[in-house]
Amino acid sequence: MDNRQALGSWLSGPRAAAEEAGVDFGYRGEQLGLPEEGPGSIARPGRRLGALAVDWGLCLLIAYGLITQSYNDAAQIWAPLIMFALMVLTVGSVGFTPGKRLLGLRVLALETGGVSPWRAVLRTVLLFLAIPALIWDRDGRGLHDRLAGTVEVRI
């Protein structure tokens, strides 16, 4: 094996190395019974981060424009509180935030399809802790989604 191949296998990660060895992981969402592509498939990380950025910008705009005239107070105190309320209320009722809807995403409970308010609260609290959202399984679901029994899919 050439040094470049060894370095390339290390950079591509353990999943790519295992796939080269013949292990078949399937596609993201296959274990959950979701389609590989199109509506109902697992949401990709780029869209999820984009939706989060849109929601954060909206909450920051609301906090700065309606509540306080200080950017620091808006960003440090009010925008996170508004974001928490926005996520709990919208995900718990219709299954998406404005940012998720804009980018064509929706949160579903695996068993029922609809997200109950309690699942939305649990998912949001875990998302605010950040660590659960940064740990993903092989289906592309964050730990916050796994613990809440939800999945974020494309509409």
Side-chain angles (χ1 to χ4, degrees):
M1 178 183 284
D2 179 344
N3 284 340
R4 290 177 292 180
Q5 288 177 330
L7 182 62
S9 68
W10 177 77
L11 288 174
S12 61
R15 181 179 176 121
E19 286 175 347
E20 286 179 15
V23 176
D24 181 25
F25 289 109
Y27 61 87
R28 295 182 191 274
E30 183 175 18
Q31 292 181 330
L32 303 172
L34 300 174
E36 185 173 1
E37 294 180 5
S41 64
I42 294 282
R44 298 290 182 205
R47 279 190 179 195
R48 295 175 78 163
L49 287 173
L52 191 62
V54 168
D55 290 334
W56 177 254
L58 178 65
C59 292
L60 194 58
L61 184 66
I62 291 169
Y64 185 72
L66 298 178
I67 299 173
T68 182
Q69 296 302 314
S70 165
Y71 178 78
N72 287 336
D73 287 343
Q76 294 176 3
I77 299 168
W78 292 105
L81 292 173
I82 294 169
M83 180 91 157
F84 186 86
L86 174 81
M87 293 178 90
V88 167
L89 294 174
T90 58
V91 171
S93 60
V94 293
F96 49 80
T97 62
K100 289 184 192 324
R101 181 66 181 141
L102 183 67
L103 293 176
L105 304 177
R106 184 179 181 135
V107 179
L108 301 172
L110 289 175
E111 298 86 29
T112 61
V115 180
S116 69
W118 292 112
R119 283 184 199 260
V121 169
L122 175 63
R123 184 180 188 277
T124 304
V125 166
L126 292 171
L127 183 65
F128 268 67
L129 293 176
I131 300 294
L134 297 174
I135 300 172
W136 295 359
D137 65 4
R138 87 178 211 198
D139 285 319
R141 289 192 316 159
L143 186 58
H144 65 295
D145 276 327
R146 286 189 60 120
L147 293 174
T150 58
V151 64
E152 195 164 347
V153 298
R154 293 174 54 194
I155 297 177

